[in-house]
């Protein structure tokens, strides 16, 4: 897998963010898949002071970058993951992509975790 493909995915997510303040310092985006393609995107951006904002991106607008990314991991006919968590720190330039192969409810915002999920997804690169 080429890091260029990962950088392309991160860049596309940044360019297509909706509802994000300009001065965010890091982000965490969850990409949800049906059996073929990305069909849902939600996440958070975080300011340097720790404040968080819920954000999204259009699945349609990021679909080609996501497909290029998943195609670099999966062969035609192989099942793609249930979701991906993409984390990025703007200051350091560090990023990480975490795969969830089967549990579609992982990283889902629910009434039970509404107050904590943003902090759970927050990037912590040590």
């Amino acid at each position: 897998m080429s890091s260029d493909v990962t950088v392309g995915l991160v860049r596309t997510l940044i360019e297509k963010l909706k509802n994000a303040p300009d001065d965010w310092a890091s982000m965490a985006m969850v990409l949800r898949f049906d059996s073929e393609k990305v069909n849902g995107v939600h996440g958070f951006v975080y300011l340097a002071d720790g404040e968080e904002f819920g954000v999204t991106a259009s699945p349609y607008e990021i679909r080609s970058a996501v497909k290029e990314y998943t195609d670099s991991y999966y062969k035609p006919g192989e099942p793609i993951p249930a979701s991906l968590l993409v984390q990025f720190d703007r200051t350091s330039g560090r990023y990480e992509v975490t795969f969830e192969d089967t549990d579609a409810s992982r990283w889902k915002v629910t009434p039970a975790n509404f107050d904590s999920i943003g902090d759970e997804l927050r990037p912590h690169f040590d």
Side-chain angles (χ1 to χ4, degrees):
M1 202 276 320
S2 167
S3 64
D4 290 345
V5 177
T6 307
V7 169
L9 174 64
V10 172
R11 181 177 292 127
T12 298
L13 285 171
I14 291 167
E15 290 171 353
K16 302 302 180 181
L17 278 177
K18 309 273 192 243
N19 307 321
D22 292 334
D23 58 344
W24 59 270
S26 61
M27 75 168 187
M29 297 295 290
V30 175
L31 314 180
R32 298 201 178 282
F33 295 86
D34 60 20
S35 61
E36 300 175 6
K37 63 190 176 306
V38 64
N39 70 351
V41 184
H42 74 276
F44 299 88
V45 294
Y46 308 90
L47 301 184
D49 68 3
E51 188 176 4
E52 65 190 49
F53 293 87
V55 294
T56 190
S58 164
Y60 177 77
E61 291 179 346
I62 67 167
R63 192 161 286 153
S64 63
V66 174
K67 181 166 179 18
E68 187 175 345
Y69 181 80
T70 56
D71 284 355
S72 73
Y73 273 96
Y74 299 94
K75 294 176 183 147
E78 286 185 325
I80 57 176
S83 57
L84 295 175
L85 172 61
V86 180
Q87 297 171 304
F88 174 68
D89 183 281
R90 219 177 196 180
T91 305
S92 69
R94 293 182 68 182
Y95 55 85
E96 186 172 297
V97 179
T98 306
F99 291 74
E100 174 50 59
D101 291 323
T102 58
D103 184 2
S105 66
R106 185 176 181 193
W107 306 315
K108 187 174 184 178
V109 178
T110 67
N113 71 9
F114 182 79
D115 291 335
S116 62
I117 190 74
D119 199 47
E120 290 173 27
L121 299 178
R122 183 184 307 269
H124 297 284
F125 301 117
D126 297 322

